[in-house]
C-alpha cells in the first residue's frame, strides 16, 4: 500500500552502517541507505538513544553528518542526556557534523482555521540538511505531530509526502514511533515506512530487565529475525553479538592438552581440539574447579593467554585453593598470561554478563576461556535463557577460535537427569566427574561422556586430587567388580601378598629341582667312573695280550736264529 | 513576497487594541494565496486601521522556519495583543480566526 520502495531487482540494496555494535552484523551492513527506517518501541525502550547514536556515529565514524529533529526533548536536554555516553553534541553542532532541531508543537497554542500543509517542516528540515550536507536524518518522535494537529487526513497525506521527499533527498532516515496497542506504532507509521522496521522492547523477568531488539522487516535484505538482547552502557548501545545466522565457523584440528596427561591419553592421546567447547560437570566437591584451573594453568604454561570467569569464588580464593594441588596461578597472573574476572551472577542480567564476557574477551584476547561455574547463572535467568546465552557465547568463541571450558554443577547424580543447562548438546566435549560411593567412602570417578571428532576412552577412571596435581588412576577391576579408593588399595595389597607367596613357592621348587639335578649328576659321575674302570680293565688284557704276543714273537725269532747260527 | 506592514496610525496604544500579525506563507501556493486573501479581508472588516500585518515568505528566509518553530503552513501569529496565538491553515474558517484573534463577540 505504500507508494515507496519500488524495489529494483538485480541491484542489491546499498546499506548504511550504523556504527551501533552488533546491529550491523544482524542487518548485514546497516540500515537501507537513503531510505527511511522505522524504530518503534514503548516508552523507555531506547528509541531516542538508538537514533541519536546512529547520527553521532555516522558523523564521527562514517563522515556522514546528520540532522536530529526532536519533537519531544529540547536540544539542551538531549545534549545533557547523552553526555553520559561521551557524546558531545554541542561540539558536534559547532563542527557542523550534527544539527539538532527541537520542534515545539503545542495544541493549546494552535488554532486550525482551514486547509494547511507541513511545508514549514519540509523547509525547516531541508534547510537543516543542506546547511551541513546531512546524509542522515532522525525524526524523533514524529508522531507528536498527531497530538499537536487534529486534521488526520492532512497529516497522513503530508507524512507520506515527507517520506517520499526524504527518499528523494537520499538521506538515510530513522523515524521513531511509540508503540501502540496491537500495532507497531500508535498512529500506524509502519504504513508509510515499509523498508525497514526495527522494534525495541524492554522486558522485566524475575526482576531482571532485558532489552530486546527485533528486526520486524527489512525489505530487500537478509536479516536476523530473532529478538536480540541489547544493552545500553557507558559506550552506548550494543546489540548482542548474537547467534550467528549461519554455522560456518572455521575449525581447527590443532589439539590442546588438558594439563592432566592421563586425561589426554583418554582423549586420543592429545587432548581437546583448539576452539572447541568443553563441559565439565559433576556433583558438588568433585573437583570441577581443579580441572578447570589445571586446564588454565596448562594454557599459561604454553604461554597462551587465559581468561578465567569465576562466578562463585573470588580470584584470591581460587589461587589459594589451587596452591594445595600444586598450581601456582599467581605466577601466571604476574606474567600477564592469566586473568580472572570474578562477579556474582546476580550482579546483573544474563545479557549484561554476556556483554561483560564479550568485552573482556575482546580486550584480553585469550586463547583459552574458563567459565566456572555456569550453573550459577541460572539464578538470573531461566534454563532456556542460559542456554541461549551460552549458545551465543560458544558461537562467538568458536568464531574467534578460543577454547572454552565450562564447569557445571550437576544437582543430581543420575546421569540422565544431569542439569547441565542443556548445553551438553552444544559442547564438543563433555567430561563427567562423579562420586563413586562404596565401603563407607567417597571416591571420584571421571569419564568422557562425549568428545566429538576423536577416539576417546570409554573407561571410568578414578580421579585423584593430590598435592602434586590431578591424576587419573586406572580403576581396579577385581573379582567383585570395579574397585576404587581404599578398596582398590586393599585389593592391591592382597595381590601383592599373593605375589610374595607365589614367589616363595616358586623358589622352593627351584631348589628341589637343583637338588635333584645334583643327585642325578652324582649318579652320572659314578656310572662314568665304572665305565672308565671297566674300559681300563678291558684295555689291560688287550695290552697284556699284545705284550705276550710280542714276547712270544721275539722268543721264537731268537730260537730260530740260535738254531741257524750255532 | 513580503509586504510592507500596513500601518494605520489610529491610536496604537489605545486600550491595547493594536494588532500585530505575522503571516508565514510558502510562495504562491494555493493555501498561501487563500490565506493572504482571507486575512486581509478579516483585518479590513474587523480591525480597520488597527493592525499591522507582515507577510513573510518562508521560502525566502528558510532559517526562519526553525526560529519561529514553523511546521504547518500557512501560519498566522498574533504577536500582540498578548497572549500570542498561532493560527494555522488558510484562515477560511472565519469564526475560528476571529476566536483565535480574540475578536469573537
Amino acid at each position: 500500500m505504500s507508494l515507496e520502495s519500488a524495489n529494483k531487482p538485480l541491484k542489491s540494496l546499498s546499506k548504511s552502517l550504523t556504527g551501533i555494535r552488533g546491529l550491523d552484523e544482524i542487518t548485514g551492513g546497516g540500515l537501507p541507505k537513503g531510505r527511511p527506517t522505522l524504530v518503534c518501541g514503548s516508552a523507555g525502550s531506547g528509541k531516542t538513544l538508538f537514533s541519536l547514536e546512529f547520527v553521532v556515529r555516522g558523523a564521527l565514524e562514517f563522515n556522514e553528518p546528520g540532522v536530529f529533529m526532536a519533537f519531544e526533548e529540547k536540544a539542551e536536554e538531549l545534549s545533557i542526556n547523552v553526555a553520559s555516553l561521551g557524546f558531545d553534541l554541542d561540539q558536534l553542532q559547532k563542527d557542523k557534523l550534527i544539527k539538532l532541531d527541537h520542534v515545539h508543537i503545542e495544541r493549546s497554542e494552535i488554532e486550525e482555521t482551514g486547509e494547511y500543509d507541513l511545508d514549514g517542516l519540509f523547509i525547516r528540515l531541508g534547510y537543516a540538511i543542506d546547511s551541513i550536507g546531512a546524509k542522515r536524518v532522525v525524526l524523533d518522535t514524529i508522531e507528536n505531530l498527531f497530538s499537536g494537529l487534529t486534521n488526520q487526513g492532512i497529516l497522513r497525506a503530508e507524512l507520506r509526502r515527507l517520506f517520499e521527499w526524504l527518499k528523494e533527498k537520499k538521506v538515510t532516515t530513522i523515524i521513531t514511533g511509540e508503540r501502540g496497542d496491537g500495532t507497531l506504532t500508535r498512529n500506524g507509521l509502519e504504513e508509510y515506512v515499509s523498508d525497514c522496521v526495527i522494534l525495541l522492547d524492554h522486558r522485566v523477568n524475575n526482576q531482571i530487565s532485558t532489552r530486546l531488539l527485533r528486526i520486524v522487516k527489512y525489505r530487500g535484505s537478509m536479516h536476523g529475525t530473532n529478538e536480540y538482547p541489547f544493552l545500553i552502557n557507558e559506550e552506548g548501545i550494543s546489540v548482542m553479538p548474537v547467534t550467528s545466522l549461519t554455522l560456518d565457523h572455521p575449525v581447527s584440528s590443532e589439539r590442546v592438552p588438558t594439563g592432566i596427561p592421563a586425561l589426554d591419553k583418554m582423549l586420543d592421546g592429545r587432548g581437546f581440539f583448539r576452539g572447541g567447547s568443553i563441559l565439565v560437570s559433576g556433583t558438588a566437591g568433585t573437583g570441577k574447579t581443579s580441572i578447570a584451573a589445571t586446564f588454565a594453568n596448562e594454557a599459561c604454561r604454553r604461554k597462551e593467554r587465559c581468561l578465567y570467569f569465576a562466578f562463585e569464588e573470588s580470584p584470591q580464593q581460587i589461587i589459594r585453593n589451587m596452591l594445595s594441588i600444586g598450581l601456582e596461578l599467581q605466577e601466571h597472573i604476574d606474567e600477564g598470561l592469566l586473568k580472572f574476572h570474578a562477579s556474582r551472577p546476580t550482579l546483573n542480567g544474563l545479557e549484561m554478563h554476556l556483554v561483560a564476557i564479550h568485552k573482556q574477551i575482546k580486550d584480553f584476547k585469550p586463547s583459552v576461556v574458563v567459565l566456572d561455574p555456569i550453573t550459577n547463572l541460572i539464578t538470573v535467568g531461566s534454563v532456556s535463557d542460559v542456554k541461549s546465552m551460552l549458545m551465543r557465547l560458544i558461537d562467538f568463541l568458536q568464531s574467534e577460535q578460543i577454547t572454552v571450558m565450562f564447569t557445571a554443577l550437576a544437582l543430581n547424580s543420575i546421569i540422565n537427569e544431569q542439569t547441565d543447562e542443556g548445553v551438553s548438546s552444544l559442547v564438543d566435549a563433555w567430561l563427567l566427574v562423579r562420586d563413586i560411593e562404596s565401603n563407607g567412602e567417597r571416591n571420584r570417578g571421571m569419564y568422557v561422556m562425549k568428545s566429538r571428532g576423536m577416539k576417546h576412552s570409554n573407561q571410568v577412571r578414578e580421579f585423584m586430587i593430590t598435592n602434586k596435581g590431578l591424576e587419573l588412576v586406572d580403576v581396579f577391576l577385581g573379582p567383585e567388580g570395579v574397585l576404587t579408593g581404599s578398596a582398590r588399595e586393599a585389593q592391591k595389597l592382597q595381590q601383592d601378598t599373593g605375589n610374595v607367596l607365589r614367589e616363595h613357592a616358586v623358589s622352593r621348587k627351584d631348589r628341589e629341582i637343583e637338588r635333584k639335578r645334583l643327585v642325578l649328576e652324582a649318579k652320572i659321575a659314578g656310572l662314568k667312573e665304572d665305565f672308565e674302570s671297566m674300559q681300563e680293565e678291558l684295555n689291560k688284557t688287550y695290552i697284556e695280550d699284545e705284550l705276550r704276543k710280542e714276547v712270544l714273537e721275539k722268543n721264537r725269532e731268537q730260537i730260530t736264529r740260535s738254531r741257524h747260527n750255532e | 513576497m513580503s509586504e510592507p506592514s500596513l500601518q494605520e496610525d489610529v491610536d496604537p496604544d489605545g486600550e491595547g487594541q493594536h494588532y500585530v500579525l505575522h503571516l508565514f506563507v510558502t510562495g504562491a501556493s494555493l493555501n498561501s494565496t487563500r490565506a493572504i486573501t482571507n486575512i486581509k479581508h478579516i483585518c479590513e472588516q474587523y480591525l480597520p486601521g488597527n493592525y499591522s500585518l507582515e507577510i513573510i515568505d518562508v521560502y525566502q528566509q528558510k532559517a526562519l522556519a526553525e526560529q519561529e518553530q514553523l511546521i504547518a503552513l500557512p501560519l498566522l501569529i498574533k504577536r500582540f495583543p498578548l497572549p500570542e496565538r498561532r493560527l494555522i491553515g488558510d484562515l477560511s474558517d472565519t469564526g475560528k480566526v476571529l476566536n483565535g484573534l480574540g475578536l469573537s463577540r
Side-chain angles (χ1 to χ4, degrees), chain A residues 164-234:
Chain A
E164 276 302 306
W165 177 76
L166 285 168
K167 274 190 181 178
E168 276 165 31
K169 279 258 173 199
K170 297 208 182 336
V171 285
T172 310
T173 311
I174 287 185
I175 296 131
T176 64
E178 193 91 353
R179 191 162 188 190
D181 263 345
T183 53
L184 289 174
T185 58
R186 220 176 267 163
N187 294 293
L189 284 181
E190 61 270 26
E191 199 176 306
Y192 311 111
V193 185
S194 47
D195 288 302
C196 180
V197 178
I198 295 174
L199 181 66
L200 304 181
D201 201 359
H202 192 192
R203 264 178 245 156
V204 177
N205 268 335
N206 296 328
Q207 294 139 26
I208 285 161
S209 80
T210 311
R211 292 176 187 276
L212 297 162
L213 176 150
R214 183 163 71 93
I215 297 169
V216 179
K217 84 178 191 188
Y218 195 149
R219 194 176 277 180
S221 167
M222 265 268 292
H223 62 86
T225 50
N226 299 342
E227 284 192 310
Y228 299 93
F230 72 96
L231 267 186
I232 298 178
N233 61 8
E234 65 277 10

Side-chain angles (χ1 to χ4, degrees), chain A residues 99-104 108-121 123-124 127 145 149, chain B residues 26 31 34 58-59 62-63 65-66 69-74 85-93 96-97:
Chain A
K99 170 102 182 98
L100 291 184
D101 184 3
H102 171 237
V103 175
H104 173 81
S108 62
E109 296 173 2
I110 291 174
E111 192 80 52
E112 292 178 33
T113 63
E115 288 282 312
Y116 56 88
D117 52 42
L118 296 184
D119 271 342
L121 183 66
I123 293 170
R124 193 163 166 180
Y127 182 69
L145 288 179
L149 303 170
Chain B
T26 49
N31 285 338
R34 269 209 302 258
V58 188
Y59 279 139
K62 292 186 175 179
E66 187 186 344
Q69 285 291 347
L70 304 185
I71 299 290
L73 290 176
R85 288 289 289 172
R86 294 173 154 243
L87 310 178
I88 58 171
D90 59 11
L91 308 170
S92 56
D93 189 334
K96 277 193 174 172
V97 177

Side-chain angles (χ1 to χ4, degrees), chain A residues 530-543:
Chain A
D530 283 356
F531 172 72
E532 267 170 19
S533 56
M534 211 186 289
Q535 201 177 25
E536 218 164 306
E537 195 69 25
L538 283 172
N539 276 354
K540 200 175 83 188
T541 40
Y542 177 72
I543 289 167

Side-chain angles (χ1 to χ4, degrees), chain A residues 42 104 142 150 160 195 229 246 308 364 471:
Chain A
S42 45
H104 173 81
I142 202 164
T150 44
R160 183 158 293 176
D195 288 302
T246 50
Y308 195 113
F364 191 64
E471 281 170 22

